[in-house]
Amino acid sequence: MSTDRTRPAGRRDQSGPGPRSASNGPRSTPGGPRSVPPQRSRRLQPHRPLRPHQWFAERLLAVLSGQRPVHWMLGHTIGEAYDQLAELAPSTPLRATHGSRPVLRHCRGAQPATGVVEAFASIAAGDRVRAMAFRLEQGADQRWRCAAVELGGERLTADASGCR
């Protein structure tokens, strides 16, 4: 059995962990310090949580493409917006075309006032790109809810005067 505590027993190569310098700098190996820093894998980077408008864009896309039922948005909409979404969703305006599933290409949001986010998204399905705009309002319970949705000229609003 090996008495070297830096490598597993039976390992003969020199690629195991080497001694560290006192400054906690790069590890050095018997051949000298590493000249190229190790590359970070995309998998190892911390996952950033979605912003509210990105989260809602994904959910609205799932409902309007027929991937999820309308009641999936229950509790995430305000007033008439749910009823109007329920009227539009059965026609699945963002359904898959030519076997390609619709995907969210871009989503951006702006905050014109505290507790309000107005967002837009571009959605690609096959060779077609559609636009979607929506408004989110933050309630007294600090939860975001969808108050209005526009999709290709078809407008769904909780309050027609509150969205322009």
Side-chain angles (χ1 to χ4, degrees):
M1 181 173 254
S2 172
T3 59
D4 185 0
R5 300 267 184 217
T6 62
R7 284 189 282 286
R11 185 171 174 175
R12 301 194 193 290
D13 65 348
Q14 298 298 316
S15 63
R20 285 187 166 262
S21 68
S23 65
N24 268 345
R27 292 182 183 185
S28 61
T29 58
R34 292 182 184 168
S35 59
V36 179
Q39 297 294 321
R40 283 188 174 176
S41 169
R42 292 190 94 158
R43 272 186 310 199
L44 300 177
Q45 292 179 353
H47 178 69
R48 290 189 317 206
L50 292 177
R51 293 182 175 166
H53 60 277
Q54 294 167 324
W55 187 84
F56 270 91
E58 290 284 350
R59 289 183 80 91
L60 289 168
L61 173 61
V63 169
L64 294 173
S65 65
Q67 297 170 29
R68 293 288 186 169
V70 179
H71 69 266
W72 198 48
M73 290 297 292
L74 194 60
H76 299 291
T77 55
I78 296 173
E80 294 177 24
Y82 178 80
D83 297 333
Q84 293 169 341
L85 184 61
E87 289 175 19
L88 182 64
S91 67
T92 57
L94 296 176
R95 68 183 165 274
T97 58
H98 306 298
S100 60
R101 189 177 196 175
V103 293
L104 190 64
R105 288 179 53 190
H106 301 286
C107 184
R108 303 280 191 272
Q111 194 167 7
T114 303
V116 175
V117 172
E118 292 180 346
F120 66 93
S122 64
I123 299 162
D127 58 350
R128 191 171 181 189
V129 177
R130 305 266 319 251
M132 177 173 62
F134 54 97
R135 178 182 174 102
L136 304 176
E137 296 178 1
Q138 193 172 30
D141 59 357
Q142 300 302 307
R143 291 181 51 199
W144 291 96
R145 291 180 179 84
C146 186
V149 177
E150 285 188 35
L151 179 66
E154 300 167 68
R155 186 173 184 177
L156 304 175
T157 61
D159 178 10
S161 64
C163 219
R164 280 256 169 189

